[in-house]
Structures are given as structure tokens and as C-alpha cells.
Amino acid sequence: MSILVDDYLKVGMNAVVRKIVQKADSAGNYSPGLQDLLSTPVCVDMVIKATTEAVNKYLPDGYITVGRAVEYVHDSSSLLGMTINLKATLTAIEGKHLFFTITVWDEMGEVGHGSHERIIVKRDEVLQKARERANFLVQRTF
């Protein structure tokens, strides 16, 4: 990688995202009978939003972060209409690897927690690699 990450990012950077739980966010989309509860995939989506909000805008032009790993523990249920808050905090920088801690809460207390790793990459290089992979599919015969 050709940038010095410490020139752009610092441990402790964070972002908070909020969401009022709607029907489209419900676990009922995955498990019948749970249509009044927040789904875990929506929490993971919030993890991605918060971590990218915390750091991507500070990177130089042409650089972005991509997700590498996520661990999320969904401890408590939240009902439709409740407000979910998720805070992502950058806790470590190791070369181009960024590590975040995640805390999630609603009006009643903690909902979940976890960790997320993102990697700083050149946007054009990632897109080119994806195109190369797609070309393989075009050339493949069945």
C-alpha cells in the first residue's frame, strides 16, 4: 500500500448510526413468527455503515475500505418502533487492516456487541479484480 495510514486515521475514531426498527428490518423476513423483532442481518448492515462512516471520508481520493470479517453477538431483542443505536470505534490499525469494536443499544439497554475488520484498498484495483472474476464466468462453458 502506498499511503501512510497514520497520516489519515487514528485509533479512537468512531461513528454512531441510528435506526427505528421497521417491518422491513424484522426477523420475520427470515424466521416465521418473529415479525415484531429486529433481525441480526440488519444489525450487521449497521456495522458496515458505521465503520465506513467512521473512516472512509478521511482516506485520500481513490482509497476505500472493504469488509474482511465481522463477529456480532445479538444479546437482546428489540421490537418494531424501538430506536437502535450502533457505535463503531476504531481500536487498532495494523498496516492496511483496521479493527473496530461494536456496541449496540436501544431504549432498554444493550442489544449486542461485536468486532469488525476492514482493509484499506485502492478502489480501482478492487473493481478491476472483480471484473476479471466476472470475465471468467462469461468465458466458462457449461
Side-chain angles (χ1 to χ4, degrees):
M1 186 167 59
S2 60
I3 66 169
L4 294 174
V5 177
D6 291 343
D7 290 344
Y8 299 94
L9 305 177
K10 303 290 180 214
V11 168
M13 297 175 99
N14 65 78
V16 175
V17 294
R18 290 180 176 83
K19 170 185 242 340
I20 296 174
V21 181
Q22 306 290 316
K23 194 168 195 96
D25 305 320
S26 89
N29 293 316
Y30 305 94
S31 300
L34 299 179
Q35 57 272 18
D36 293 334
L37 301 177
L38 174 67
S39 72
T40 302
V42 168
C43 295
V44 172
D45 180 63
M46 292 176 70
V47 167
I48 295 165
K49 287 179 183 173
T51 54
T52 57
E53 282 184 22
V55 297
N56 278 16
K57 61 188 170 190
Y58 299 107
L59 295 173
D61 287 341
Y63 287 87
I64 60 170
T65 62
V66 295
R68 181 170 182 278
V70 64
E71 179 182 346
Y72 181 72
V73 177
H74 201 157
D75 291 320
S76 299
S77 301
S78 299
L79 291 168
L80 295 180
M82 295 183 86
T83 300
I84 299 300
N85 307 280
L86 184 144
K87 182 176 183 180
T89 303
L90 181 60
T91 54
I93 301 169
E94 296 177 12
K96 63 182 180 177
H97 296 259
L98 308 177
F99 299 89
F100 297 85
T101 58
I102 307 300
T103 53
V104 186
W105 69 96
D106 63 16
E107 295 89 339
M108 302 302 295
E110 183 175 323
V111 171
H113 61 277
S115 60
H116 185 43
E117 178 184 355
R118 298 190 70 76
I119 301 173
I120 300 170
V121 297
K122 288 185 178 181
R123 179 179 42 244
D124 292 342
E125 289 178 6
V126 169
L127 293 174
Q128 181 59 36
K129 287 178 183 176
R131 286 186 202 102
E132 290 169 5
R133 288 177 58 85
N135 283 337
F136 170 78
L137 292 174
V138 171
Q139 297 168 8
R140 191 169 72 177
T141 60
F142 295 95

